Amino acid sequence: MGKTYFCDYCGRSFQDNLHNRKKHLQGVQHQRAKKFWFDCFRDSATILAEELAKKPCRKFLQSEENKVEHDNRSTPDINEWLLKRAKRKESNSNISGSEMAKEVDDEPVVYWLPPGYQAVHELPPSLHPPPPGGWKTAVNVEWG
């Protein structure tokens, strides 16, 4: 069968001939395993210096530029937001509680199950839609 070669970096063995050994030593997996092995013995200050010397990723820089452009375009004015909020609060305070309830009750509420769900009667009670009149609540309920 012939001799076998065991690579200490990769933990693999293969038939020892010129073609197989050259192919293995030039392979990406071997290169990564060898780099990892030697990186284990490097000083952390050296690693930090090398990482700081690298250029930032172009994709990251592009996304940061787009983010800045987007932020500059769509930055809402706080005063506009406060005016809209005050108008909304004012319009809601003019409606009494019974009128608000009528507005909500006038809209028909439609419940539907997402595709792939079982029939309603086959679902557990926690997944059943509420009854037409809503859930009944007790008036004097004390929670422990």
Side-chain angles (χ1 to χ4, degrees):
M1 184 176 219
K3 291 186 173 184
T4 58
Y5 176 78
F6 182 77
C7 177
D8 292 325
Y9 301 117
C10 303
R12 295 182 130 195
S13 59
F14 51 89
Q15 189 177 5
D16 190 17
N17 61 34
L18 180 62
H19 174 73
N20 287 350
R21 188 184 288 209
K22 186 175 181 181
K23 187 177 175 183
H24 175 76
L25 294 176
Q26 291 175 347
V28 175
Q29 186 177 10
H30 175 77
Q31 298 292 331
R32 285 184 184 163
K34 186 176 175 183
K35 182 180 181 330
F36 178 75
W37 173 261
F38 284 106
D39 285 349
C40 290
F41 300 107
R42 289 181 32 203
D43 183 24
S44 58
T46 309
I47 295 171
L48 179 63
E50 287 178 5
E51 291 296 321
L52 289 174
K54 287 183 180 179
K55 290 182 180 178
C57 176
R58 283 184 284 145
K59 194 172 185 179
F60 173 75
L61 290 176
Q62 248 179 352
S63 68
E64 286 297 312
E65 288 171 3
N66 292 340
K67 185 178 176 185
V68 169
E69 289 174 10
H70 180 63
D71 288 348
N72 290 339
R73 270 188 315 209
S74 64
T75 304
D77 183 27
I78 187 71
N79 293 326
E80 290 176 24
W81 183 82
L82 287 171
L83 286 172
K84 286 180 185 177
R85 181 174 177 247
K87 286 179 184 177
R88 194 170 46 243
K89 276 190 164 188
E90 185 179 317
S91 67
N92 286 344
S93 66
N94 292 338
I95 300 174
S96 69
S98 60
E99 289 175 3
M100 192 180 293
K102 286 179 188 174
E103 284 182 8
V104 172
D105 290 341
D106 289 344
E107 296 178 15
V109 179
V110 179
Y111 296 101
W112 55 275
L113 295 173
Y117 266 62
Q118 303 167 351
V120 174
H121 68 276
E122 294 176 5
L123 292 173
S126 62
L127 294 178
H128 284 210
W135 301 110
K136 295 180 182 175
T137 55
V139 178
N140 293 330
V141 176
E142 238 181 77
W143 293 90

